[in-house]
């Protein structure tokens, strides 16, 4: 029992350090701790089972020996008890041994397991985590156009998964008044039940949710059909009987109105019906950019003509003769031309990546966004990840990374923000945004005192099995994660004006674990490294790029 107590203390300390911040679903990296926790709990549970089995084995042996003794004694009770040893042993059994057996039966061997479970339950994921993970699954379903059958059978790219609880997913959608996803998942739950799969819920319960969610989407006839199917299974269902009368009344009213329609009105209604069908499942606040964002995440709608593609090159770069890269130039690849996005291969080694993750993991906290209305940082449903900030003095590896960025870009990183390490969770994403502060956000980085974000350096610290691309919605570009590489782009023109074509997003991670690092470089300190120009962004200017002067248009700088 002492060992169990020590184990409890160790686990308590572990959770106080690594799980001080909840929102488990927003970081796969921290969710891995939950797997080890569950593994330890299973071990503890097995210990409890073995203890119970040992106790029952002792009771079983007692019962078998007494059964044999009773059978012998009952054949000739007086003759049996006539032997003084038998009489003595009867007194002993009833006075002492049955009391010991009672103590054995009443002994609770579950104390260790219950103690472990009680201590750890306070650090378990919450209802919000469960709901967040469910909504993330539905977000993936929409973004990557996955059908419920593929998800429910675990047929996603990469490793095969366990089957999700379709009814539970539908119920979570229902509680959020998301009747579109309620319908999808309740239909799948019903399909699995019809195919003979075991379930904790019956068809009547599923049909109850299903008929109402379909009615809420304006499909009276289908809602009526499912209600009738429910009543065949349970004719006394009070709510279904009430709905049946109401749906029939509403349908008759609708059919009467349609019969009296003029031809033009009928054509208009059919058109509106088709439009409503096309928009089914699309939220009211769905913006055109969202459609473009999701297309790019799927690898569709990328706007790069063959002619433009032919102008993108891979090269070895020594950054205009930088001493560090004369003998070992960096591998540079053009990812996009306007805005210019460059990828640097083999920027970080596996050991450096591991060290950065080790430093960041204990400090991961829910990522925040800047609220332009309040001017404060806040969490948001459109940014599902956790992040930590690493200063150069904390470890030589961080200092080396900062220096390497400065050597490659030619920009001063002394005024840059600390290295931000981010880990994306279930369906982890960051919807379209700008890295720089716009004119309507004059105080975006005021507290830093280093000006606006002039450039972004993004490091991919993991490969991603499926999804997780960085997409630029304004220009139709997509950059895919590749472990150890980094991508770089300027957020501001040489004039200091924001480049709105750099609006970008992190696509939801479909399968895999996405780790990235960000280094945001600011204006201060770049005065002699990237000279400012007051000319219009579309006029050729002489701008500093990577430390050398080149004649170019500002939007290519």
């Amino acid at each position: 029992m002492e060992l169990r107590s020590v184990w409890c203390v160790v686990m308590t300390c572990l959770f106080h350090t690594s799980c001080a911040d909840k929102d488990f679903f927003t970081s796969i990296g921290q969710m891995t701790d939950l797997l080890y926790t569950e593994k330890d709990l299973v071990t503890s549970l097995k210990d409890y089972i073995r203890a119970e089995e040992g106790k029952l084995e002792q009771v079983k042996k007692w019962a078998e020996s007494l059964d044999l003794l009773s059978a012998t004694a009952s054949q000739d009770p007086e003759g049996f008890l006539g032997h003084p040893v038998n009489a003595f042993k009867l007194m002993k059994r009833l006075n002492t041994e049955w009391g010991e057996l009672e103590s054995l039966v009443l002994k609770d061997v579950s104390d260790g397991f219950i103690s472990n479970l009680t201590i750890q339950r306070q650090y378990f994921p919450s209802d919000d985590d469960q709901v967040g993970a469910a909504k993330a699954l539905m977000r993936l379903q929409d973004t990557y156009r996955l059908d419920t059958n593929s998800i429910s059978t675990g047929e996603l790219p990469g490793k095969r998964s366990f089957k999700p609880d379709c009814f539970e997913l539908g119920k979570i959608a229902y509680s959020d008044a998301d009747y579109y996803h309620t319908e999808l998942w309740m239909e799948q739950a019903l399909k699995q039940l019809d195919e003979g799969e075991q379930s904790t819920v019956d068809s009547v319960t599923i049909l109850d949710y299903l008929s109402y969610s379909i009615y809420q989407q304006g499909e009276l006839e289908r809602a009526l059909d499912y209600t009738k199917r429910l009543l065949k299974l349970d004719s006394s269902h009070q709510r279904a009987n009430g709905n049946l009368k109401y749906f029939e009344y509403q349908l008759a009213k609708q059919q009467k109105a349609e019969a009296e329609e003029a031809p033009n009105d009928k054509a208009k209604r059919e058109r509106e019906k088709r439009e409503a069908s096309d928009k089914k499942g699309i939220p009211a606040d769905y913006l055109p950019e969202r459609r473009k964002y999701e297309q790019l995440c799927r690898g569709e709608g990328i706007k790069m003509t063959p002619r433009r593609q032919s102008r993108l090159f891979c090269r070895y770069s020594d950054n205009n003769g930088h001493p560090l890269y004369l003998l070992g130039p960096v591998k540079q690849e053009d990812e996009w031309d306007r805005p210019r996005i460059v990828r640097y291969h083999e920027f970080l080694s596996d050991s450096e990546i591991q060290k950065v993750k080790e430093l960041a993991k204990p400090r991961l906290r829910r990522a925040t966004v800047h609220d332009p209305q309040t001017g404060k940082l806040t969490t948001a449903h459109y940014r599902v990840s956790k992040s930590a900030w690493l200063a150069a003095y904390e470890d030589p590896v961080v200092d080396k990374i900062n220096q390497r960025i400065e050597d490659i870009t030619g920009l001063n990183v002394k005024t840059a923000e600390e290295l931000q390490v981010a880990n994306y969770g279930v369906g982890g994403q960051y919807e379209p945004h700008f890295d720089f502060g716009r004119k309507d956000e004059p105080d975006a980085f005021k507290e830093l005192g280093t000006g606006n974000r002039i450039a972004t350096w993004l490091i991919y610290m993991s490969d991603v099995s499926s999804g997780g691309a960085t997409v630029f919605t304004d220009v139709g570009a997509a950059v895919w994660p590749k472990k150890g590489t980094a991508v770089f782009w300027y957020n501001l023109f040489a004039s200091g004006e924001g480049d709105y074509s750099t609006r970008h997003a992190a696509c939801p991670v479909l399968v895999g674990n996405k780790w990235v690092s960000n280094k945001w470089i600011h204006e201060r300190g770049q005065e002699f490294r990237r000279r400012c120009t007051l000319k219009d962004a579309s006029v050729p200017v002489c701008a500093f790029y990577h430390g050398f002067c080149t004649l170019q248009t500002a939007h290519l700088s």
Side-chain angles (χ1 to χ4, degrees):
M1 192 62 73
E2 290 179 3
L3 266 175
R4 292 181 187 279
S5 299
V6 171
W7 185 81
C8 289
V9 172
V10 171
M11 290 306 295
T12 302
C13 294
L14 170 66
F15 275 100
H16 272 305
T17 55
S18 66
C19 298
D21 181 49
K22 288 293 186 75
D23 291 333
F24 285 103
F25 77 97
T26 62
S27 168
I28 295 293
Q30 285 194 331
M31 284 177 66
T32 56
D33 291 338
L34 297 179
L35 284 177
Y36 292 114
T37 301
E38 190 171 51
K39 183 180 178 181
D40 288 332
L41 281 174
V42 170
T43 301
S44 183
L45 179 60
K46 286 182 176 178
D47 289 341
Y48 160 66
I49 292 170
R50 279 193 291 270
E52 285 284 10
E53 287 175 343
K55 185 177 82 172
L56 287 173
E57 190 61 32
Q58 291 181 59
V59 175
K60 183 180 178 183
K61 287 179 180 179
W62 243 87
E64 287 174 351
S65 63
L66 287 175
D67 185 47
L68 183 62
L69 182 65
S70 297
T72 304
S74 60
Q75 291 177 3
D76 181 13
E78 291 187 2
F80 180 81
L81 291 173
H83 196 293
V85 173
N86 290 344
F88 167 73
K89 293 188 77 171
L90 175 64
M91 297 301 108
K92 181 177 180 294
R93 283 198 304 276
L94 291 172
N95 182 54
T96 306
E97 294 180 13
W98 274 99
E100 292 173 352
L101 179 63
E102 181 183 23
S103 297
L104 176 63
V105 171
L106 292 175
K107 181 182 178 183
D108 189 353
V109 296
S110 66
D111 287 349
F113 172 69
I114 295 299
S115 177
N116 291 339
L117 185 59
T118 301
I119 288 173
Q120 293 187 60
R121 274 189 67 86
Q122 59 187 313
Y123 305 108
F124 278 8
S126 63
D127 289 342
D128 288 341
D129 281 301
Q130 183 176 337
V131 170
K135 288 182 178 180
L137 194 54
M138 294 173 207
R139 184 166 58 248
L140 291 172
Q141 182 179 10
D142 295 341
T143 301
Y144 295 105
R145 290 184 175 173
L146 306 171
D147 62 89
T148 50
N149 190 64
S150 295
I151 300 174
S152 65
T153 54
E155 295 174 1
L156 296 178
K159 294 181 180 178
R160 194 173 180 85
S161 66
F162 294 104
K163 292 181 178 180
D165 186 335
C166 298
F167 174 76
E168 187 63 31
L169 287 168
K171 198 164 73 168
I172 288 172
Y174 180 86
S175 64
D176 203 38
D178 179 0
Y179 300 113
Y180 170 71
H181 286 106
T182 303
E183 177 191 346
L184 292 180
W185 286 105
M186 288 299 176
E187 280 189 333
Q188 186 64 25
L190 189 64
K191 177 175 177 285
Q192 290 178 342
L193 209 59
D194 291 343
E195 291 173 352
E197 288 193 23
Q198 295 296 316
S199 177
T200 56
V201 294
D202 55 23
S203 298
V204 169
T205 304
I206 296 172
L207 286 165
D208 194 15
Y209 278 101
L210 192 51
S211 61
Y212 187 74
S213 64
I214 289 172
Y215 159 70
Q216 284 290 343
Q217 295 176 81
E219 298 182 59
L220 272 171
E221 288 187 55
R222 288 185 63 221
L224 185 59
D225 289 341
Y226 277 117
T227 303
K228 288 178 179 177
R229 181 176 170 181
L230 187 160
L231 289 169
K232 282 183 181 180
L233 298 172
D234 182 2
S235 59
S236 62
H237 196 284
Q238 188 174 354
R239 183 166 47 250
N241 276 301
N243 286 345
L244 178 69
K245 293 177 182 178
Y246 180 73
F247 292 163
E248 286 177 336
Y249 168 75
Q250 289 292 337
L251 188 60
K253 187 178 176 182
Q254 179 180 297
Q255 289 171 343
K256 182 181 179 182
E258 289 174 2
E260 296 172 353
E261 277 180 344
N264 289 342
D265 292 336
K266 187 174 183 179
K268 182 183 176 182
R269 179 178 52 79
E270 289 294 331
R271 186 171 63 254
E272 289 174 349
K273 194 174 180 181
R274 285 193 300 270
E275 289 174 355
S277 178
D278 292 339
K279 292 179 181 178
K280 187 176 180 180
I282 298 176
D285 60 351
Y286 191 93
L287 301 174
E289 186 186 28
R290 176 77 189 180
R291 186 183 297 275
K292 187 185 295 185
Y293 160 57
E294 292 180 350
Q295 284 179 334
L296 291 170
C297 290
R298 296 192 295 269
E300 304 167 4
I302 296 173
K303 298 177 180 178
M304 177 61 76
T305 63
R307 185 176 180 182
R308 285 172 64 187
Q309 183 76 40
S310 68
R311 294 173 182 170
L312 303 182
F313 295 97
C314 293
R315 66 184 69 81
Y316 285 101
S317 172
D318 61 10
N319 191 16
N320 199 29
H322 193 287
L324 280 176
Y325 300 114
L326 282 174
L327 294 178
V330 292
K331 297 177 180 177
Q332 189 186 73
E333 178 187 0
D334 295 332
E335 285 280 352
W336 206 258
D337 53 359
R338 298 185 299 275
R340 190 176 187 212
I341 306 168
V342 181
R343 187 193 294 265
Y344 292 90
H345 292 266
E346 299 173 8
F347 176 75
L348 283 189
S349 66
D350 287 349
S351 60
E352 288 173 324
I353 288 172
Q354 188 58 36
K355 185 62 181 178
V356 170
K357 288 165 70 174
E358 285 175 6
L359 291 169
K361 193 172 178 181
R363 287 186 277 169
L364 289 175
R365 296 293 182 270
R366 178 73 183 268
T368 56
V369 297
H370 181 262
D371 188 333
Q373 293 184 338
T374 64
K376 297 180 180 179
L377 294 175
T378 181
T379 59
H381 71 277
Y382 55 82
R383 190 177 190 185
V384 184
S385 66
K386 284 189 175 180
S387 59
W389 298 86
L390 303 180
Y393 63 80
E394 294 185 59
D395 193 275
V397 167
V398 181
D399 192 36
K400 286 179 182 177
I401 292 171
N402 290 342
Q403 188 59 53
R404 203 174 295 163
I405 294 171
E406 179 165 315
D407 293 338
I408 292 174
T409 63
L411 296 174
N412 187 347
V413 299
K414 301 296 186 294
T415 57
E417 295 173 49
E418 293 179 347
L419 188 69
Q420 186 203 57
V421 182
N423 179 225
Y424 289 82
V426 182
Q429 64 165 3
Y430 189 3
E431 290 185 0
H433 62 281
F434 298 102
D435 279 352
F436 63 91
R438 273 81 65 211
K439 290 181 179 179
D440 59 345
E441 301 175 303
D443 298 332
F445 306 108
K446 186 178 180 180
E447 70 280 3
L448 299 178
T450 53
N452 211 341
R453 286 174 172 173
I454 193 173
T456 295
W457 184 274
L458 170 62
I459 308 167
Y460 295 113
M461 300 200 301
S462 65
D463 292 314
V464 179
S465 300
S466 185
T470 305
V471 298
F472 292 75
T473 52
D474 191 63
V475 296
V479 179
W480 302 93
K482 185 176 181 182
K483 187 179 181 181
T485 68
V487 292
F488 172 78
W489 67 87
Y490 278 104
N491 295 305
L492 306 180
F493 291 122
S495 64
E497 292 292 316
D499 184 351
Y500 285 79
S501 69
T502 61
R503 185 168 174 82
H504 61 286
C507 293
V509 178
L510 179 55
V511 179
N513 190 5
K514 183 181 177 183
W515 286 86
V516 298
S517 294
N518 292 289
K519 191 72 175 177
W520 286 295
I521 304 169
H522 284 247
E523 291 175 296
R524 299 294 179 266
Q526 318 307 335
E527 291 82 359
F528 298 101
R529 301 195 183 210
R530 191 192 191 224
R531 291 189 182 274
C532 178
T533 175
L534 298 178
K535 299 210 176 181
D536 184 79
S538 62
V539 178
V541 297
C542 189
F544 273 81
Y545 178 68
H546 285 206
F548 59 91
C549 192
T550 177
L551 191 65
Q552 56 189 333
T553 57
H555 65 258
L556 284 174
S557 62

